Amino acid sequence: MSADGALIECESLVRIYQSGPVEVQALQGLDLVVERGEMVAVVGASGSGKSTLLSILAGIDAPTAGRARVDRWNLLSMSRRDRVRYRRQTVGFVRQQTASNLIPYLNARQMVDLPMTASGVSTAERRQRSGELLEALGVGSFADRRPAQLSGGQQMRVAIAVALANRPHVLLADEPTGELDTATSAEVFAALRDVNRDLGVTVVVVTHDPAVSGQVERTVAIRDGRTSSEVLRRTATAEDGGTHVIAEEYAVMDRAGRIQVPRDYREALALTRRVRLALEPDHITIRPDA
Ligand code: ADP
Ligand code: MG
């Protein structure tokens, strides 16, 4: 695995769940690189392995095979003690169900306080940090409210503040806008972008909302437990001085040279098991085996 300073590196990551006699391959050789300071959206159909990937990166679930590194931690060979430290200090995790991130009988400030208490942060520092975080997420005036007294969007902002309490390098959010209406989810997403830009936290966010994924510079698509394509967006300046966003889709190639040919391409040319490849001066052609 390269040591070029990427914060997250997954290579040929495999996670097999055994449910009774049935084996489910949730991840089937997934590759992913996330640079420090990046904000990446992960998209994919239900069941494609997005939550599995995030819970592995969060240190909650362990991969079956492959490689996964976050910062200096190897997620396949971490001791139990390191795993606790990793979860406490390196990553912040916002779970898919809003409610599962919050504790019903605590108010917002107490909830942000909790992870810091576990890490031995002093009372004065905790007080300052929780105030700052709730403020940064636009819920500073709700510090004394319990989850039931907050709207869905406010609950999610508090959950993000809780995840950021111990100054993690990475914030992982699993469909944080999944239960919210369009306007509220745009706000929550904007809050994630602010956190990425202002606090320098690397953000990996799972979403099925195309409007939301269209706002980040890089979107990684997962299909059947593998990274299938990436969309990169950049702002270009036209001759008249106006700016517009250019989105380009790339297929992802793993280290063994495998790429996934999209289904509509395969169907259009009736590509099946065997195809003909030909190397041209500046590209490669793929033809049906006729
Ligand atoms: P996504 O978040 O993209 O919807 P998941 O990562 O939750 O996908 O699930 C990927 C696949 O793994 C699905 O087929 C799902 O049913 C299966 N799966 C996830 N968690 C478990 C588990 N604990 N036991 C058995 N199968 C699981
Ligand atoms: Mg999921």
Side-chain angles (χ1 to χ4, degrees), residues 17 19 24 26 45-53 96:
Y17 291 112
S19 55
V24 181
S46 174
S48 57
K50 305 181 299 294
S51 292
T52 303
L53 171 65
Q96 192 161 353

Side-chain angles (χ1 to χ4, degrees), residues 257-277:
R258 283 181 287 250
I259 60 167
Q260 190 168 29
V261 179
R263 178 189 297 246
D264 43 337
Y265 287 22
R266 297 196 308 258
E267 286 175 355
L269 297 177
L271 301 177
T272 50
R273 218 172 61 77
R274 270 199 305 251
V275 296
R276 288 179 179 278
L277 290 184

